[in-house]
Coordinates of all heavy atoms in Angstrom, one line a residue:
Y1 N -13.6 -15.9 -11.9 CA -13.4 -14.5 -12.3 C -14.5 -13.6 -11.8 O -15.7 -13.8 -12.2 CB -13.2 -14.4 -13.8 CG -12.0 -15.3 -14.3 CD1 -12.3 -16.4 -15.1 CD2 -10.7 -15.0 -14.0 CE1 -11.3 -17.2 -15.6 CE2 -9.7 -15.8 -14.5 CZ -10.0 -16.8 -15.3 OH -8.9 -17.6 -15.7
G2 N -14.3 -12.7 -11.0 CA -15.3 -11.7 -10.6 C -15.0 -10.3 -11.2 O -13.8 -10.0 -11.4
Q3 N -16.1 -9.6 -11.5 CA -15.9 -8.3 -12.2 C -16.7 -7.2 -11.4 O -17.7 -7.5 -10.7 CB -16.4 -8.4 -13.6 CG -15.5 -9.2 -14.5 CD -15.9 -9.1 -16.0 OE1 -17.0 -9.3 -16.3 NE2 -14.9 -8.8 -16.8
N4 N -16.3 -6.0 -11.6 CA -17.0 -4.9 -11.0 C -18.3 -4.6 -11.7 O -18.4 -4.0 -12.7 CB -16.1 -3.6 -11.0 CG -16.7 -2.4 -10.3 OD1 -17.8 -2.5 -9.8 ND2 -16.0 -1.3 -10.3
L5 N -19.4 -5.1 -11.1 CA -20.7 -5.1 -11.8 C -21.2 -3.6 -11.8 O -22.1 -3.4 -12.6 CB -21.7 -6.0 -11.0 CG -21.3 -7.5 -11.0 CD1 -22.4 -8.3 -10.3 CD2 -21.2 -8.0 -12.5
L6 N -20.7 -2.7 -11.0 CA -21.2 -1.4 -11.0 C -20.8 -0.7 -12.3 O -21.3 0.4 -12.6 CB -20.7 -0.6 -9.8 CG -21.4 -0.9 -8.5 CD1 -20.8 -0.1 -7.4 CD2 -22.9 -0.8 -8.6
N7 N -19.9 -1.3 -13.1 CA -19.6 -0.7 -14.4 C -20.7 -0.9 -15.4 O -20.8 -0.3 -16.5 CB -18.3 -1.3 -15.0 CG -17.1 -0.8 -14.3 OD1 -17.1 0.2 -13.7 ND2 -16.0 -1.6 -14.3
N8 N -21.7 -1.7 -15.0 CA -22.9 -1.9 -15.8 C -24.1 -1.2 -15.0 O -24.5 -1.6 -13.9 CB -23.2 -3.4 -15.9 CG -24.4 -3.7 -16.7 OD1 -25.3 -2.9 -17.0 ND2 -24.5 -4.9 -17.2
P9 N -24.6 -0.1 -15.6 CA -25.7 0.6 -14.9 C -26.9 -0.2 -14.5 O -27.6 0.2 -13.5 CB -26.1 1.7 -16.0 CG -24.9 1.8 -16.9 CD -24.3 0.4 -16.9
W10 N -27.1 -1.3 -15.2 CA -28.3 -2.1 -14.8 C -28.3 -2.6 -13.4 O -29.3 -2.6 -12.7 CB -28.4 -3.3 -15.7 CG -29.7 -4.1 -15.5 CD1 -30.9 -3.9 -16.1 CD2 -29.8 -5.3 -14.7 NE1 -31.8 -4.8 -15.6 CE2 -31.1 -5.7 -14.8 CE3 -28.9 -6.1 -14.0 CZ2 -31.6 -6.9 -14.2 CZ3 -29.4 -7.2 -13.3 CH2 -30.7 -7.6 -13.4
F11 N -27.1 -2.9 -12.9 CA -26.9 -3.4 -11.5 C -27.1 -2.3 -10.4 O -27.2 -2.7 -9.2 CB -25.6 -4.1 -11.3 CG -25.5 -5.4 -12.1 CD1 -24.8 -5.5 -13.3 CD2 -26.1 -6.5 -11.6 CE1 -24.7 -6.7 -14.0 CE2 -26.0 -7.7 -12.3 CZ -25.3 -7.8 -13.5
H12 N -27.1 -1.1 -10.8 CA -27.3 0.0 -9.8 C -28.8 0.0 -9.3 O -29.0 0.6 -8.2 CB -27.1 1.4 -10.5 CG -25.7 1.6 -10.8 ND1 -25.0 2.7 -10.2 CD2 -24.8 1.0 -11.5 CE1 -23.7 2.7 -10.7 NE2 -23.6 1.6 -11.5
F13 N -29.7 -0.8 -9.9 CA -31.1 -0.7 -9.5 C -31.6 -2.1 -9.1 O -32.8 -2.3 -8.9 CB -31.9 -0.2 -10.7 CG -31.4 1.1 -11.2 CD1 -30.7 1.2 -12.4 CD2 -31.7 2.3 -10.6 CE1 -30.2 2.4 -12.9 CE2 -31.3 3.5 -11.0 CZ -30.5 3.6 -12.2
V14 N -30.7 -3.0 -8.9 CA -31.0 -4.4 -8.4 C -30.7 -4.5 -7.0 O -29.5 -4.5 -6.6 CB -30.3 -5.5 -9.3 CG1 -30.7 -6.9 -8.8 CG2 -30.6 -5.3 -10.8
E15 N -31.7 -4.6 -6.1 CA -31.5 -4.8 -4.7 C -31.8 -6.3 -4.3 O -32.6 -6.9 -4.9 CB -32.4 -3.8 -3.9 CG -32.1 -2.4 -4.1 CD -30.8 -2.0 -3.4 OE1 -30.2 -2.8 -2.7 OE2 -30.3 -0.9 -3.7
P16 N -31.0 -6.7 -3.3 CA -30.1 -6.0 -2.4 C -28.7 -6.0 -3.0 O -27.7 -5.5 -2.3 CB -30.1 -6.9 -1.1 CG -30.4 -8.2 -1.6 CD -31.3 -8.1 -2.8
L17 N -28.5 -6.5 -4.2 CA -27.2 -6.6 -4.8 C -26.5 -5.2 -4.9 O -25.4 -5.0 -4.6 CB -27.3 -7.2 -6.2 CG -26.0 -7.2 -7.1 CD1 -24.9 -7.9 -6.4 CD2 -26.2 -7.8 -8.4
S18 N -27.3 -4.2 -5.3 CA -26.8 -2.8 -5.5 C -26.2 -2.3 -4.2 O -25.1 -1.7 -4.1 CB -27.8 -1.9 -6.0 OG -27.3 -0.6 -6.1
S19 N -26.9 -2.5 -3.1 CA -26.4 -2.0 -1.8 C -25.1 -2.7 -1.4 O -24.2 -2.0 -0.9 CB -27.5 -2.2 -0.7 OG -28.6 -1.5 -0.9
F20 N -25.0 -4.0 -1.6 CA -23.8 -4.7 -1.3 C -22.6 -4.1 -2.2 O -21.5 -3.9 -1.8 CB -23.9 -6.2 -1.6 CG -22.6 -6.9 -1.5 CD1 -22.0 -7.2 -0.3 CD2 -22.0 -7.3 -2.7 CE1 -20.8 -7.9 -0.3 CE2 -20.8 -8.0 -2.7 CZ -20.2 -8.3 -1.4
L21 N -22.9 -4.0 -3.5 CA -21.8 -3.5 -4.4 C -21.3 -2.2 -4.0 O -20.1 -1.9 -4.3 CB -22.4 -3.5 -5.9 CG -22.7 -4.9 -6.5 CD1 -23.3 -4.7 -7.9 CD2 -21.6 -5.8 -6.5
Q22 N -22.1 -1.3 -3.4 CA -21.6 0.0 -2.9 C -20.6 -0.2 -1.8 O -19.9 0.8 -1.5 CB -22.8 0.8 -2.4 CG -23.9 1.1 -3.5 CD -23.4 2.0 -4.6 OE1 -22.5 2.7 -4.5 NE2 -24.0 1.8 -5.8
Q23 N -20.5 -1.4 -1.2 CA -19.6 -1.6 -0.1 C -18.2 -2.2 -0.6 O -17.3 -2.5 0.2 CB -20.2 -2.6 0.9 CG -21.5 -2.2 1.5 CD -21.4 -0.8 2.2 OE1 -20.5 -0.7 3.0 NE2 -22.3 0.1 2.0
V24 N -18.1 -2.4 -2.0 CA -17.0 -3.0 -2.5 C -16.1 -2.0 -3.3 O -16.7 -1.2 -4.1 CB -17.4 -4.2 -3.4 CG1 -16.1 -4.9 -4.0 CG2 -18.2 -5.2 -2.7
T25 N -14.8 -2.0 -3.1 CA -13.9 -1.1 -3.8 C -13.0 -2.0 -4.7 O -12.3 -2.9 -4.2 CB -13.1 -0.3 -2.9 OG1 -13.9 0.5 -2.0 CG2 -12.1 0.7 -3.6
W26 N -13.0 -1.7 -6.0 CA -12.2 -2.4 -6.9 C -10.9 -1.6 -7.3 O -11.0 -0.5 -7.7 CB -12.9 -2.8 -8.1 CG -14.1 -3.7 -7.9 CD1 -15.3 -3.5 -7.4 CD2 -14.1 -5.1 -8.3 NE1 -16.1 -4.6 -7.4 CE2 -15.3 -5.7 -7.9 CE3 -13.1 -6.0 -8.9 CZ2 -15.7 -7.0 -8.1 CZ3 -13.5 -7.3 -9.0 CH2 -14.7 -7.8 -8.7
Q27 N -9.7 -2.3 -7.2 CA -8.5 -1.7 -7.8 C -8.3 -2.1 -9.2 O -7.6 -1.5 -10.0 CB -7.3 -2.0 -6.9 CG -7.3 -1.4 -5.6 CD -6.0 -1.7 -4.8 OE1 -5.0 -1.9 -5.5 NE2 -6.1 -1.7 -3.5
R28 N -8.9 -3.3 -9.6 CA -9.0 -3.7 -10.9 C -10.4 -4.1 -11.2 O -11.1 -4.5 -10.3 CB -8.1 -5.0 -11.1 CG -6.6 -4.7 -10.9 CD -5.8 -5.9 -11.1 NE -4.3 -5.7 -11.0 CZ -3.4 -6.6 -11.1 NH1 -3.8 -7.9 -11.3 NH2 -2.1 -6.4 -10.9
D29 N -10.8 -4.1 -12.5 CA -12.2 -4.4 -12.9 C -12.5 -5.9 -12.9 O -13.6 -6.3 -12.9 CB -12.5 -3.8 -14.2 CG -12.7 -2.3 -14.1 OD1 -13.0 -1.8 -13.0 OD2 -12.6 -1.6 -15.2
T30 N -11.4 -6.7 -12.8 CA -11.5 -8.1 -12.8 C -10.6 -8.7 -11.8 O -9.4 -8.3 -11.7 CB -11.3 -8.8 -14.2 OG1 -12.2 -8.2 -15.1 CG2 -11.4 -10.3 -14.1
A31 N -11.0 -9.6 -10.9 CA -10.2 -10.3 -9.9 C -10.6 -11.7 -9.8 O -11.7 -12.1 -10.1 CB -10.3 -9.6 -8.6
V32 N -9.6 -12.5 -9.3 CA -9.9 -14.0 -9.1 C -10.4 -14.1 -7.6 O -9.7 -13.8 -6.7 CB -8.6 -14.8 -9.3 CG1 -8.9 -16.3 -9.0 CG2 -8.1 -14.7 -10.7
L33 N -11.6 -14.6 -7.5 CA -12.2 -14.8 -6.2 C -12.3 -16.3 -5.9 O -12.1 -17.1 -6.7 CB -13.6 -14.1 -6.2 CG -13.6 -12.7 -6.7 CD1 -15.0 -12.1 -6.7 CD2 -12.7 -11.8 -5.9
R34 N -12.7 -16.6 -4.6 CA -12.8 -17.9 -4.1 C -11.5 -18.8 -4.5 O -11.6 -19.9 -5.0 CB -14.0 -18.6 -4.7 CG -14.4 -19.9 -4.1 CD -15.5 -20.6 -4.8 NE -15.7 -22.0 -4.4 CZ -16.4 -22.9 -5.0 NH1 -17.1 -22.6 -6.1 NH2 -16.5 -24.2 -4.6
W35 N -10.4 -18.2 -4.3 CA -9.1 -18.8 -4.8 C -8.6 -19.8 -3.7 O -7.8 -20.7 -4.1 CB -8.1 -17.8 -5.1 CG -7.8 -16.8 -3.9 CD1 -8.4 -15.6 -3.7 CD2 -7.0 -17.1 -2.8 NE1 -8.0 -15.1 -2.5 CE2 -7.1 -15.9 -2.0 CE3 -6.1 -18.1 -2.5 CZ2 -6.3 -15.8 -0.8 CZ3 -5.4 -18.0 -1.3 CH2 -5.5 -16.9 -0.5
D36 N -8.9 -19.7 -2.5 CA -8.4 -20.6 -1.5 C -9.1 -21.9 -1.6 O -10.3 -22.0 -1.9 CB -8.6 -20.0 -0.1 CG -7.7 -20.6 1.0 OD1 -6.9 -21.5 0.6 OD2 -7.7 -20.2 2.2
S37 N -8.4 -23.0 -1.3 CA -9.0 -24.3 -1.4 C -8.2 -25.4 -0.6 O -7.0 -25.2 -0.3 CB -9.0 -24.8 -2.9 OG -7.7 -25.0 -3.4
W38 N -8.8 -26.5 -0.3 CA -8.1 -27.5 0.4 C -7.0 -28.1 -0.5 O -5.9 -28.4 0.0 CB -9.1 -28.7 0.7 CG -10.0 -28.4 1.9 CD1 -9.5 -28.2 3.2 CD2 -11.4 -28.2 1.9 NE1 -10.6 -27.9 4.0 CE2 -11.8 -27.9 3.3 CE3 -12.4 -28.3 1.0 CZ2 -13.1 -27.7 3.6 CZ3 -13.7 -28.1 1.3 CH2 -14.0 -27.8 2.7
R39 N -7.3 -28.2 -1.8 CA -6.3 -28.8 -2.7 C -4.9 -28.1 -2.5 O -3.9 -28.7 -2.5 CB -6.8 -28.7 -4.1 CG -5.7 -29.0 -5.2 CD -5.0 -30.3 -5.0 NE -5.9 -31.4 -5.1 CZ -6.3 -32.0 -6.3 NH1 -5.8 -31.6 -7.4 NH2 -7.1 -33.0 -6.3

């Protein structure tokens, strides 16, 4: 489960994470990531 960390003001000041998060657009605040698998 991944969440939109920019909803937490603390992450706005953590680099390089903050710069990356600015490149991400969320349609939902929570999404299932890394879902593809060999299984």
Side-chain angles (χ1 to χ4, degrees):
Y1 302 111
Q3 293 189 307
N4 183 359
L5 297 182
L6 287 181
N7 286 338
N8 183 338
W10 185 83
F11 289 103
H12 289 239
F13 307 100
V14 179
E15 291 293 351
L17 174 60
S18 178
S19 295
F20 169 77
L21 294 177
Q22 299 295 332
Q23 305 298 312
V24 182
T25 301
W26 293 76
Q27 292 187 26
R28 295 181 178 176
D29 287 338
T30 301
V32 177
L33 310 177
R34 193 190 167 191
W35 55 266
D36 201 358
S37 70
W38 283 297
R39 167 55 63 87

